[in-house]
Amino acid sequence: LALKAKAQTGTVERLAQVPFDSAVKLSATLDDVPGTGRVIHVLGAPDRLLQRCTAQWAPAGTATLEAAAWETTNAELGAQGLRVLAAAYVPASAPRVSADPDALALADLDTGLVFLGLVGIVDPPRPEATAAVADCHTAGIGVKMITGDHAGTAVAIARELGIAGDDAQVVTGAELEAMSSSQLRALVRDVDVFARTSPEHKIRIVRALQSHGEVVAMTGDGVNDAPALTRADIGVAMGIKGTEATKDAADIVLADDNFATIERAVEEGRRIYDNIRKSVVFLLPTNGAQSLVILVAVLFGITLPLAPVQILWVNLVTAVTLSLSLAAEPAEPSVMRRPPRDSTEPLLSRPSLVMVLAVSVIIGAATLLVFEIERGAGVDVARSQTVAVGMLAAGQGAYLFTCRFLTASSLHPRVLRGNRMIWVASGALLVLQALFTYAPFMNEWFGSAPIYPRDWALLVAISGLVVLATEGAKALSWRVPH
């Protein structure tokens, strides 16, 4: 600002300073100004400086301080979304508390300051931040602004970002001080903007939100923010502006200081959790179907559709091919339109358990069906068992596409796109299964036998029915309460 005003600053010597302190919201320097002498310059929050000033600058010297007029101007600048700072000075002739003329103490600023004026600083939010806030609201994530700025500035910026509406309620630090813990708990979920706050207020707000069972992520960059970051469920420090103490206290360091990155991290976290759940839901029916096949065969005294070594083969090929492909699943289109899950919800929820049981029955029944069809047609045991193993593998392959979308139907062209690894894994499974079926040494090791086009047609037809049946089981699971 001094450079914009073409002030000559090169010859001014700084002798001492009072660093900025969030408790008093101001900083000061003791400067030796040529032609004037030693002057204390003060910079800080307008309301805090006005409390310490007894006069204001005028062309003829000083004049009576018009505090009310400055407060009105401060509110007008803040309403425009400007960050407002006030400037003041202490004349060189004013008495000082510090005995050392080259030292400066906070007590030297207690009174007698001359108010110079207000500065409005444009600090526009990043364009992507507005979209990120909207995405968070769609995903059921509440976003609250806790700032040391003037209430008018905070509300204007909150409205620009979409954090608060036209009827936004703002609570100031002074109002927080007057509230009891129970009063704050009753109010905290309905207020999105907290202004003129201190780091201690952040801790109270975090605790109030946590008392409602909320999972709270708190951002901060200063040393004084470290306690609040530690108290929050997830502390997020700024990687560029943040202090080392804040980074050490945080769980996550935001490398680009961009709020939109937090929203993208939430989306990525939901994707990873979804893929873990998909993998579990996919793997369990393999064992369930095999167990069902063996159990039914024993109970009804029929020939075992699967030999023990063939069960090992199925587990091996599906584990190293199909299940790994789900780790590369992209986020579902609806992932940021779903409300947050309950933090106490188990990985295998009741709807997922219903689906696992239903699909185990479906794939197990399909395996028994093709085995009995083959045996009924007079096919020998080795070939019938090979077809049964093929049905288990094909059933798992068909079910893999169902698992790509656990919260939506997979009977859509998009199920064929978006994950190249699905096709790589399916191709690898097909090659391994062909090796199992036609390689002589595999026939010897696993008791398999070559099968014919009729058998492959049977597998394709039953696999299609498995897709429809598993989609039906998925739709049924949606009706089960969590």
Side-chain angles (χ1 to χ4, degrees):
L1 180 62
L3 294 175
K4 282 186 176 182
K6 301 186 184 307
Q8 299 299 319
T9 61
T11 56
V12 177
E13 181 183 0
R14 176 173 297 182
L15 302 175
Q17 66 177 340
V18 173
F20 178 81
D21 186 344
S22 60
V24 293
K25 289 186 168 53
L26 58 81
S27 63
T29 59
L30 173 62
D31 304 308
D32 190 356
V33 183
T36 302
R38 296 187 175 186
V39 182
I40 299 174
H41 294 112
V42 190
L43 184 72
D47 55 336
R48 298 299 180 90
L49 258 64
L50 284 170
Q51 294 171 3
R52 295 170 181 264
C53 291
T54 55
Q56 67 184 42
W57 180 88
T62 59
T64 303
L65 180 65
E66 298 176 2
W70 287 114
E71 288 172 355
T72 300
T73 303
N74 181 32
E76 290 173 351
L77 292 172
Q80 299 173 34
L82 300 176
R83 302 290 176 89
V84 186
L85 291 174
Y89 77 100
V90 180
S93 59
R96 298 178 53 209
V97 173
S98 301
D100 185 352
D102 293 335
L104 184 62
L106 186 61
D108 293 325
L109 315 175
D110 283 345
T111 185
L113 274 66
V114 177
F115 197 77
L116 287 172
L118 299 174
V119 179
I121 302 173
V122 177
D123 185 14
R126 297 185 183 188
E128 63 269 26
T130 303
V133 170
D135 289 341
C136 285
H137 286 160
T138 302
I141 302 168
V143 182
K144 299 186 183 295
M145 177 186 287
I146 308 174
T147 177
D149 288 334
H150 184 273
T153 303
V155 170
I157 295 175
R159 286 173 179 163
E160 186 178 353
L161 286 169
I163 293 175
D166 294 336
D167 57 346
Q169 181 182 0
V170 58
V171 173
T172 64
E175 292 170 333
L176 278 172
E177 293 285 354
M179 287 183 190
S180 65
S181 296
S182 59
Q183 289 174 325
L184 179 57
R185 284 197 298 270
L187 184 74
V188 70
R189 299 176 92 179
D190 300 322
V191 176
D192 293 322
V193 183
F194 297 88
R196 279 289 183 256
T197 58
S198 67
E200 292 76 15
H201 296 146
K202 283 189 175 184
I203 297 178
R204 290 193 64 196
I205 293 169
V206 169
R207 286 175 175 166
L209 289 168
Q210 289 173 332
S211 70
H212 292 285
E214 302 280 5
V215 176
V216 181
M218 174 67 73
T219 64
D221 55 12
V223 174
N224 292 331
D225 291 327
L229 267 60
T230 303
R231 174 67 191 182
D233 297 286
I234 305 166
V236 183
M238 301 296 107
I240 300 174
K241 296 187 298 182
T243 62
E244 290 303 317
T246 311
K247 296 175 185 177
D248 290 341
D251 302 294
I252 297 173
V253 177
L254 202 59
D256 58 0
D257 289 12
N258 191 344
F259 178 81
T261 303
I262 299 178
E263 181 269 332
R264 290 194 294 271
V266 171
E267 181 178 0
E268 179 66 9
R270 290 188 175 191
R271 183 191 76 84
I272 292 171
Y273 184 85
D274 277 357
N275 289 353
I276 292 173
R277 193 157 58 95
K278 289 174 184 178
S279 297
V280 172
V281 172
F282 171 75
L283 286 171
L284 289 180
T286 301
N287 297 324
Q290 293 169 358
S291 301
L292 181 65
V293 168
I294 299 301
L295 180 63
V296 170
V298 171
L299 289 177
F300 290 91
I302 62 177
T303 305
L304 288 177
L306 303 169
V309 70
Q310 293 170 345
I311 294 176
L312 292 176
W313 168 259
V314 173
N315 286 335
L316 175 65
V317 295
T318 57
V320 300
T321 57
L322 302 182
S323 59
L324 296 179
S325 63
L326 288 173
E329 268 303 297
E332 293 186 23
S334 64
V335 70
M336 291 301 284
R337 295 196 295 270
R338 303 199 303 254
R341 65 179 178 83
D342 188 342
S343 59
T344 62
E345 177 185 300
L347 181 64
L348 194 63
S349 61
R350 279 185 286 183
S352 298
L353 184 59
V354 168
M355 188 169 176
V356 167
L357 294 175
V359 174
S360 296
V361 172
I362 291 168
I363 297 179
T367 303
L368 286 167
L369 177 62
V370 297
F371 180 78
E372 290 302 315
I373 290 176
E374 292 292 291
R375 293 295 289 154
V379 176
D380 61 73
V381 173
R383 179 177 157 193
S384 299
Q385 287 182 332
T386 303
V387 175
V389 170
M391 186 66 250
L392 267 178
Q396 284 292 110
Y399 179 49
L400 179 68
F401 289 89
T402 296
C403 285
R404 289 198 65 194
F405 303 104
L406 292 182
T407 58
S409 173
S410 296
L411 299 178
H412 191 279
R414 67 173 180 268
V415 78
L416 305 177
R417 304 187 300 267
N419 186 356
R420 178 173 169 270
M421 286 301 299
I422 292 285
W423 296 105
V424 172
S426 298
L429 176 64
L430 186 60
V431 170
L432 289 171
Q433 198 58 33
L435 189 67
F436 171 84
T437 304
Y438 296 108
F441 68 93
M442 295 292 280
N443 296 157
E444 182 180 351
W445 290 352
F446 291 96
S448 57
I451 60 176
Y452 302 105
R454 168 190 168 279
D455 305 316
W456 286 109
L458 178 64
L459 290 177
V460 171
I462 302 298
S463 296
L465 295 177
V466 168
V467 170
L468 297 176
T470 53
E471 282 294 309
K474 183 200 296 183
L476 176 65
S477 71
W478 294 342
R479 300 175 179 269
V480 178
H482 286 72

